[in-house]
Amino acid sequence: MLMLETLNSILQIQELDMKMIRLMRVKQERQKELANIYNLRNDLHKQLDVKEQEILEIKKNVRLSETAIAEAEEKVKSLEGHQESVKKVDEFNALSHEIAAAGRQRMHKEHQRDELLEKLIEEEESLKSLQSHAKESEESSKTYEEELLGNIKHINEEGTVIKKDRDALKVGVDQEVLAIYERLFFNKKDRVVVPIENRTCSGCHIVITAQHENLVRKCERLVFCEHCSRIHYWQESAAIEESVVATKKRRRKTTTTKK
C-alpha cells in the first residue's frame, strides 16, 4: 500500500509536470510570435536607415555635380576671356576647341545632376511610403503585441502556481522514487508513469508478459517496462487507492463535525 501511495503522489506530480510542459510550449509559441513582430519592426527600421543613407548619398553627389558644373562654367568664361585677347589664328582655334570641350563637359555634368535630382525625388517618395508603412505596421501590431505580453505574463503566473503545488507534493514523497521519476521525465519530456492496458504498456504500446503484469498488480516495488523503461502501475489499484484516501478524508471531516 505504501508503494501505491507513493505512485499516486508521483502521478499527481506528473500531471503538474505535464501541465508545465504544455504551458512552456504555449509560452515558446507566444515568444516566437513576439519575436516575429520585433524582427519585422527591426527590418522596417533597417530599410528606413538604408533608404535615408541612400538619399544622403544622392544629395552629396548632386552637390558634387553642381560644383563640377560651376567649375566648368568658370573655365569656359576664362577661356572665352583669354580668346578675346588672342591674335594668332592657331591659338584662337585651339582655345575654341578647349571652350567646346569645357562646354561639353558642363553639359555632361548637368545631365548627371538632372538624373540624380530625378532619382532623389523617387527615393524621397519611396522613403515617405516606407515611413507610412512602418507606422501603420507598428500601430497594427501594438495591440497584438500587448495581447502576447499579457498571455506570457498569465502563463508565468500559472507556472508559479503549478511549481508551488509541485513543491508541496514533493515534501511527502519517497525521494528515491521521485529522483527516478524525475530522471525519466527529464529524458522523455512525456508521461513516464503509465498504466497497463490490455496487457500492453500504454507508453510504448508493446505487449508485456503475464508475470510482469502480476508484479505490477502487487505493487510491492517499482516495475519498469522492459522496452521503454517507463514505470508501470495498475490502473484499478490507483482508483481503489484514490477511493480509500477520499473515504478517509470524509471520515475525518465527519468526526470533526460531530465534535
Side-chain angles (χ1 to χ4, degrees):
M1 187 64 73
L2 183 61
M3 180 54 67
L4 187 57
E5 290 177 1
T6 299
L7 281 178
N8 275 321
S9 296
I10 293 294
L11 282 170
Q12 292 177 58
I13 291 173
Q14 180 172 253
E15 287 307 308
L16 292 175
D17 288 341
M18 291 302 297
K19 283 182 181 178
M20 186 67 83
I21 280 183
R22 286 192 291 270
L23 269 181
M24 290 305 100
R25 284 174 182 165
V26 173
K27 182 178 178 179
Q28 286 173 358
E29 289 173 4
R30 298 295 175 268
Q31 287 175 328
K32 193 180 292 183
E33 291 171 29
L34 200 59
N36 288 336
I37 290 174
Y38 293 152
N39 289 335
L40 178 60
R41 192 173 295 166
N42 289 334
D43 287 343
L44 286 171
H45 287 162
K46 285 178 182 177
Q47 289 178 42
L48 285 170
D49 290 340
V50 169
K51 187 63 66 179
E52 287 170 353
Q53 288 300 318
E54 287 176 353
I55 289 172
L56 287 174
E57 188 65 24
I58 292 171
K59 287 180 177 179
K60 176 185 172 183
N61 289 332
V62 168
R63 288 194 298 270
L64 290 173
S65 296
E66 288 175 342
T67 300
I69 291 168
E71 288 174 352
E73 288 176 347
E74 284 296 321
K75 186 176 181 180
V76 169
K77 288 178 182 179
S78 176
L79 289 171
E80 286 175 344
H82 183 53
Q83 191 182 44
E84 289 177 1
S85 62
V86 169
K87 295 179 181 180
K88 292 182 180 180
V89 176
D90 291 343
E91 192 174 351
F92 184 88
N93 290 337
L95 287 169
S96 296
H97 285 300
E98 283 189 57
I99 291 168
R104 287 194 297 272
Q105 186 181 14
R106 182 188 65 190
M107 290 176 64
H108 176 66
K109 292 296 180 181
E110 287 174 344
H111 179 68
Q112 284 184 330
R113 180 200 59 192
D114 293 342
E115 286 184 338
L116 285 170
L117 288 171
E118 288 179 6
K119 188 175 182 182
L120 179 61
I121 292 170
E122 290 176 3
E123 293 300 320
E124 285 179 336
E125 287 297 322
S126 177
L127 177 62
K128 287 179 182 177
S129 176
L130 195 57
Q131 286 171 334
S132 176
H133 176 60
K135 185 179 179 181
E136 289 174 4
S137 176
E138 191 162 344
E139 288 175 353
S140 64
S141 64
K142 190 175 181 181
T143 303
Y144 187 42
E145 179 187 349
E146 290 173 354
E147 182 183 335
L148 288 173
L149 289 170
N151 286 342
I152 291 171
K153 182 183 178 183
H154 179 71
I155 288 169
N156 289 337
E157 290 170 352
E158 192 173 345
T160 301
V161 173
I162 290 173
K163 185 179 182 304
K164 186 178 178 181
D165 291 344
R166 190 186 193 280
D167 290 342
L169 283 170
K170 281 173 61 177
V171 176
V173 178
D174 185 312
Q175 296 303 301
E176 187 178 347
V177 175
L178 179 64
I180 293 170
Y181 157 76
E182 287 181 336
R183 185 169 62 252
L184 289 169
F185 191 85
F186 178 80
N187 290 332
K188 293 185 182 295
K189 298 291 188 295
D190 196 5
R191 284 185 171 82
V192 292
V193 183
V194 296
I196 293 172
E197 297 174 349
N198 299 321
R199 199 174 285 177
T200 303
C201 170
S202 60
C204 63
H205 307 292
I206 294 177
V207 177
I208 61 173
T209 63
Q211 183 183 1
H212 184 98
E213 183 178 295
N214 286 332
L215 288 173
V216 176
R217 280 175 180 268
K218 289 178 181 178
C219 198
E220 295 174 348
R221 60 180 176 84
L222 292 181
V223 183
F224 300 92
C225 178
E226 295 176 356
H227 307 284
C228 68
S229 301
R230 286 180 170 88
I231 300 169
H232 284 159
Y233 71 91
W234 189 249
Q235 210 162 13
E236 291 177 9
S237 298
I240 291 168
E241 173 63 17
E242 287 175 6
S243 176
V244 169
V245 171
T247 302
K248 286 179 179 179
K249 285 181 179 178
R250 284 197 299 272
R251 284 176 181 172
R252 282 199 297 270
K253 187 177 180 182
T254 304
T255 306
T256 306
T257 304
K258 284 179 179 179
K259 288 179 181 180

